[in-house]
Amino acid sequence: MIVTLGFGITNFMTAYFLSIILILIARFLAGVFAGLLWLMIVGYATKMVRDEKKDRATIIVILDVPIALSIGIPLGTSIGQLIGCLTIRETIHSHALFFCILNLYIHSTKENIDNNR
């Protein structure tokens, strides 16, 4: 929960800071949080599958990020240019808002799982 919240907060910081030094610090911290999220997802994937499928689950999770970056960023840029309504600040705001909502969802799901045990 702290990692997803930290990722969202650093994206808000990037959108609101006017100093390039503060923006670079915020982007560095966002990269740290993104790396932690990536490692956590690999751990979750290996816990969700049987022992003989753990290698495959790890490979799928590790490959998803580069594929998403190489396809998703150009696709998102193209859609943004076609629509023409999102500035970089609006894009970062929507990204940060998504991660804050995701954080709330993860927290509520964890509470539901803990209550059902």
Side-chain angles (χ1 to χ4, degrees), residues 10 13-14 17-29:
T10 55
M13 290 166 47
T14 301
F17 287 160
L18 298 176
S19 167
I20 190 69
I21 300 298
L22 293 176
I23 290 172
L24 289 174
I25 291 170
R27 293 313 302 155
F28 172 77
L29 291 173

Side-chain angles (χ1 to χ4, degrees), residues 46-98:
T46 58
K47 289 179 183 177
M48 291 191 297
V49 297
R50 295 187 304 266
D51 287 339
E52 62 269 6
K53 302 246 182 191
K54 287 187 180 195
D55 296 338
R56 187 177 184 157
T58 303
I59 290 169
I60 290 171
V61 169
I62 289 174
L63 282 178
D64 282 349
V65 173
I67 291 171
L69 290 174
S70 61
I71 294 172
I73 290 175
L75 183 63
T77 302
S78 300
I79 292 171
Q81 287 178 344
L82 287 175
I83 296 172
C85 65
L86 290 180
T87 65
I88 189 67
R89 287 191 185 273
E90 291 168 342
T91 304
I92 292 173
H93 286 151
S94 62
H95 189 250
L97 181 63
F98 169 75

